Amino acid sequence: SEYTKKIKQYYANLEVPFNSDFETVKKAYRKLMKKYHPDFYGNDKEKQKTANDVCKKLSEAYEGLKKYLNAK
């Protein structure tokens, strides 16, 4: 289904295996946010914009998986 595809994409965005538990999702999210946080690219507007977009995707994936896993 479309929903399952979205969930799989969320897992992929966070670079964790499909159906990983919430603890794994949370650790991956934190690690990736640290790596890509826009504040690290303050001197380079283009990289900062890209980092912003990446972090938005990561946050969306994290929130989506949080809801998905809490509903299980």
Side-chain angles (χ1 to χ4, degrees), residues 38-53:
D39 289 354
F40 295 130
Y41 305 101
N43 307 337
D44 186 330
K45 288 293 169 219
E46 199 51 45
K47 279 187 179 161
Q48 196 174 35
K49 185 189 176 314
T50 302
N52 253 328
D53 294 343

Side-chain angles (χ1 to χ4, degrees), residues 6-67:
K6 192 188 247 183
I7 295 300
K8 282 183 177 170
Q9 187 57 56
Y10 287 161
Y11 277 110
N13 288 353
L14 292 173
E15 301 173 9
V16 291
F18 180 64
N19 272 340
S20 293
D21 64 0
F22 184 64
E23 211 37 55
T24 305
V25 166
K26 190 160 63 172
K27 276 185 191 148
Y29 171 70
R30 287 186 174 154
K31 190 176 110 190
L32 290 168
M33 286 299 277
K34 276 183 191 151
K35 185 176 173 182
Y36 293 110
H37 201 281
D39 289 354
F40 295 130
Y41 305 101
N43 307 337
D44 186 330
K45 288 293 169 219
E46 199 51 45
K47 279 187 179 161
Q48 196 174 35
K49 185 189 176 314
T50 302
N52 253 328
D53 294 343
V54 169
C55 287
K56 268 188 205 141
K57 270 201 173 90
L58 293 174
S59 293
E60 183 188 325
Y62 176 73
E63 290 304 322
L65 287 174
K66 192 160 94 172
K67 278 186 194 140

